[in-house]
Amino acid sequence: MDPNRAAILLLLGTVCGLSQGHWEWTSWFNIDHPGGSGDYEHLVSIQHYYPERICPRPAGVEARTIHGVPAAFTKEMVHLSPQLGFWCLNKEQHSGKHCSNYAVRFRCPKGSISAVAQGFWSQWSGWGSCTAPCDQTGVQTRRRTCSTHNQHWEQQCPGPVEEGRMCKGPPCATPPPTAAWSLSIPVRSRGDEQPAGCELECSMGRVNAQCSRCMCEEHLLYGSVHLQDGAPASKATVYLRGNSDNILTVCDEKGKFRIPGLCPDGKTALKIKKAYYGTAVITLNVSNSKQSTIEVKLKRSEKPYISKQPVSKVRREGQSVTFCCKVLCDPPPDKYFWYHNGSVLNVKTPGYDSKLVLRQLQPTHAGQYVCQASNSAGSVKSQPATLTVIALGVPSCNRKPESHLIRLPYDCYQNLTQSFYYDVGKCPVAKCAGEQEPESRCRDTSYCCGAVKLEERKISCSKYMLPIKVVNSCGCQKCVETKTIVRGRAIAADNGEPMRFGQIFMMGKKISMTGYKGTFSIQVPADIDRLVLTFVDRYQKFVNTTKVLPFNKKGGSVFHEIKLVRKRSAVTLDCTISNTIALGETESQDPIVELEIPPNSFYRQNGDIYRGLVKASVTFLDPRDISMASAAQSDLNFINDEGDVLSLRTYGMFSLDFMDEAAMESLNAGQVKVFLDSAQVKMPEHLEKMKLWSLNPETGFWEVEGDFTFIRSQRGKREERTFLVGNMEIRERRLFNLDVPESRRCYVKVRTFRGERFMSGDQMEGVVVSLINLEPMVGFSSNPRAWGRFDSVITGSNGACVPAFCDDHRPEAYSAYVMATLGGEELETVASSPKMDPNVIGVQQSYLNKLQYRRSDHEDPKVKKTAFKINVAKPTPNVPDEMNGPIYPYENLEECEEASFSAGHFRFYRVEGDKYDYNTVAFNEDDPLSWTEDYLAWWPRPLEFRACYIKVKLSGPQEITVRSRNMGGTHPRTAGEFYGIRDVRSTRDIDQLGVSAVCLEFKCSGMLYDQERIDRTLVKIIPQDNCHRESVNNMLREYLINHLPLAVNNDTSEFTMLAPLDPLGHNYGIYTVTDQDPRTAKEIALGRCFDGSSDSTSRVMKSNVGVALTFNCKERQMNRQSVFQSLQNPPGQSVVDSMKMGRGKRGRRQRDNLLGLRLFNRLRKQRRAQHRE
């Protein structure tokens, strides 16, 4: 056999030497996606999830992509094994590409696969119509149903409800010939009268009296107009195309029309228009028949959407610059406008279309540039791009570093400055003017201001000298390359049930899937400014959910929890009669909306009227239920006629799902009436502004579907009342909203911190801050229980500005709940009881009283401390205490974003255990751009972060602090040099008395930043107490012996090793995780270490499993001080004040340290007592 063919057969999983009659293939499995490190379709995992669908010991395996391409033809490096399954590693692929998303199936003995998994499924439906246009590729789908409806249907009917396959559209039709010689064309006789002075010549028929067109009295045109889904385009308007389009007729309810007198001369053209749909232009083909027929299909018009925003740039005087603006829409944009600092530029500017080219730049060219694109459906404006023009001879980057304080270890108190802080300096955050790029290039090679020279110094500590590197000089260099990751978990809003193996779409394309626990990870493309994702549940338990997720544009990872609304159970409707569906009705309150569906309103995807029973699932998101605010779809924004993005306030969202009786085909519906009870709209000015909106799932923006009118009616058994009535048609969009534009907006300034010291250097980036806008308070014109909007933003180096509704006349009119999460963990905010401290909260006392700040536990101490509520009172002009934050007018966003640290702001903080990190080369893990190229950098590469932890068990009555000292081991440039310190206090075992454990980070071995040679890090594990080493994990000891060199371990009070190169796992007590974000890598590794396993995480310390080292520690002396007492400062106390604690008449350094430690210990105990209360 040809060896190549044999290799392909082996790769495809073909089993040789087995009788085909005794074997059968399983169905295809796809339980993982290629996010993270790769795609893993492991046999044990498939057997765990689908035990009935696979045999215990398969004899063969096949793999293909989800699009049907065999693994052998993808040109990717993959691994297959009947005993293990399939796996594809991203790091093994060429050119940095990721693995495709693969599915696998296995060969099993006949009869070994349980028939239970197949017994409850119906037969697959026929393949649906192909979505592809002519001569193009698309997708067609088919469905099946589960015949059991009990609560365990997922186990009895595993697998997807719907599946798809690639298909090709029909061949494009060739237009018929229009040459005059091929047809017998009647011509106007010489005897026909021609209007005086008319020069119009007709090749067919005669000129009309107005000399505007040719007329053929005996010709009759029949037309049929349909929408994209096949439904009749009722009330579509037909125009005669000309200098001034004239209305000829309007289509009837079936989309039909007839027009007499038009000439089929190959020149007569018609325009057909319908609201919210694109205009169709049809030219009548040449014909000598007395009757002609045309069929027209209208496509929904697409408003312009900017897929690639113009990018901010830096140039030197005299250079050129190009700004680009990529717009998606149908029809394409017909107009472009560019604005400079709010003023429209002359259209004669060179390159004035989707690109703007400016040459011979001068300082006057500096400022903000905005692109506006328009088509017949609307307009859109881009985000502003800033152009910085640097004068000749002026440096792009200030060589002198800025001040940047870092905290020193507990035993490095500096008597000279009387502080635990040291100024290591940092370079200003600024872009540099690089080399002149080609004029046509939209995106530059980025240059940033960064450290070009580091100076090494030695700091005197209690028993050793600590090396530290200080920024000595700054300069321009290529910006650090980073990756932006969005992670999260998709769960039910009511009970937290995960959406397992759900599909994630971006711009209509599937890009990822959720895992078994609903988790997902997506790398944000570099040119994306607005991340819009749609989550689709394959098991149809949740409503399709579209979210606009903010992310950190500087790089790094952000975690979002996606709350999903559970689908309402389907009800059966008789489509031959009128049906009414109430939305938001409960035992205690009336419905907000009622939908009225007239008889015979349902039709199939091909446009045919549907006559059977309908299974209708209508899910309503009620704004009167504040617990569902986080499940709101999209970000409640729309684009107005001028292209500006504006805000909406919702009165309810509803999702519609209509299926035929067999639940095989999705049905459309036309002329559905929407009745909105005006009594539910408490703000009179909103009644006139109310509109019906639908969500565009690709852009995440809401678009108008229709207006409302007032009627008086008695619906059901209730008294007569006033309703807002609108009409809607249910076609390709199934998510609708009852909204009004709301322009009364402000920004709320929020900062997040690593602890309760609330210092500028302790701010955290990448925190998700969310704000729920509430209805006005009692006594004002709205319902105090309802919410109107949900917003989220990401904190940067200077905090975050969260949008909110506000009022400048009545401070109590609008209120808001604010909360913050990091990696799914809720942060705490500052207390409001028993007494509010404005210095700790961060707001002036007078303004604080007006805002009525209340933490969530203000009235009930048992409630979590993770949110606060305020009245969003717009600042009063000319009142100094209100003009400096934390509330800013909506037009002052830049002032809010650039506010100094001393300006008013609200605060969240993370409750962390006793731990401390020190790096010789300073690095902010929240900001990947702060990475410095140096051999002693803790993280060698800013694109890949590898976190390593070791688990240490301690026997003794006290919690013990354990330190890891990390030094260069085998690399000639770093041998004996210091990387950094990690200090962590042990956690008590809740089940064993006198036992605690610690998960301690150490620097991983591996390549340094130059990627030329590895370094085995020399790691010392040192308990900071009277301890001796009792045991070492046998597997770890054996590994270290077999991987020389071996570190000397003569001192039993510590443990020394050359860190392993391999990611060992829990059997060794070593936990290693690699990720594109340092914080995520550490969180996962730490969770695994706590749990003592390699595949699950915990926040409860399990001290008896997965342990590497065990130390026996005697009881600590009563006068011995905790090493972390030195790290605790009172809330709101400045650095300078805190350092005065070390002063006294005893001038010696050790006595100074002891006094400071005692004071810190007292404060720490007080604060812990407050937390327990």
Side-chain angles (χ1 to χ4, degrees), residues 461-505:
C461 298
S462 59
K463 296 181 180 180
Y464 60 95
M465 299 298 292
L466 180 70
I468 190 170
K469 289 204 171 185
V470 178
V471 178
N472 182 272
S473 178
C474 299
C476 289
Q477 53 192 356
K478 282 190 177 181
C479 298
V480 175
E481 186 180 353
T482 63
K483 292 183 179 180
T484 301
I485 308 297
V486 169
R487 304 179 186 277
R489 182 172 57 242
I491 59 174
D494 53 3
N495 63 1
E497 177 189 355
M499 183 178 75
R500 296 189 173 106
F501 311 121
Q503 299 174 326
I504 304 176
F505 291 83

Side-chain angles (χ1 to χ4, degrees), residues 91-162:
K91 66 181 181 181
E92 294 181 348
Q93 309 311 315
H94 298 294
S95 304
K97 294 182 179 179
H98 277 201
C99 298
S100 301
N101 195 358
Y102 286 92
V104 296
R105 67 176 183 174
F106 296 85
R107 178 169 289 190
C108 291
K110 268 192 176 180
S112 64
I113 304 175
S114 172
V116 175
Q118 302 174 358
F120 291 99
W121 279 118
S122 69
Q123 294 295 322
W124 284 103
S125 68
W127 289 103
S129 58
C130 186
T131 60
C134 65
D135 287 342
Q136 296 187 31
T137 302
V139 177
Q140 56 185 161
T141 60
R142 63 177 183 175
R143 296 176 59 86
R144 59 179 176 174
T145 58
C146 184
S147 59
T148 181
H149 298 285
N150 61 37
Q151 61 180 346
H152 303 295
W153 73 271
E154 285 185 76
Q155 287 75 32
Q156 296 172 343
C157 292
V161 176
E162 183 180 53

Side-chain angles (χ1 to χ4, degrees), residues 290-291 513 580 595 658 669 758 800 811 931 942 945 976 978-979 1099:
K290 292 184 178 181
Q291 292 184 1
M513 291 180 63
T580 300
L595 303 181
F658 297 134
F758 303 126
W931 181 82
F945 298 90
F978 198 71
Y979 286 120
R1099 280 295 175 261

Side-chain angles (χ1 to χ4, degrees), residues 38-85:
D39 192 358
Y40 298 87
E41 308 293 339
H42 286 165
L43 175 62
V44 291
S45 300
I46 295 172
Q47 289 173 331
H48 173 74
Y49 296 139
Y50 305 106
E52 300 89 1
R53 296 174 57 189
I54 190 168
C55 55
R57 288 179 293 278
V61 59
E62 273 189 6
R64 70 181 188 187
T65 70
I66 59 174
H67 299 299
V69 180
F73 301 105
T74 61
K75 298 182 179 180
E76 295 176 357
M77 176 69 71
V78 298
H79 308 271
L80 289 101
S81 166
Q83 293 77 34
L84 301 176

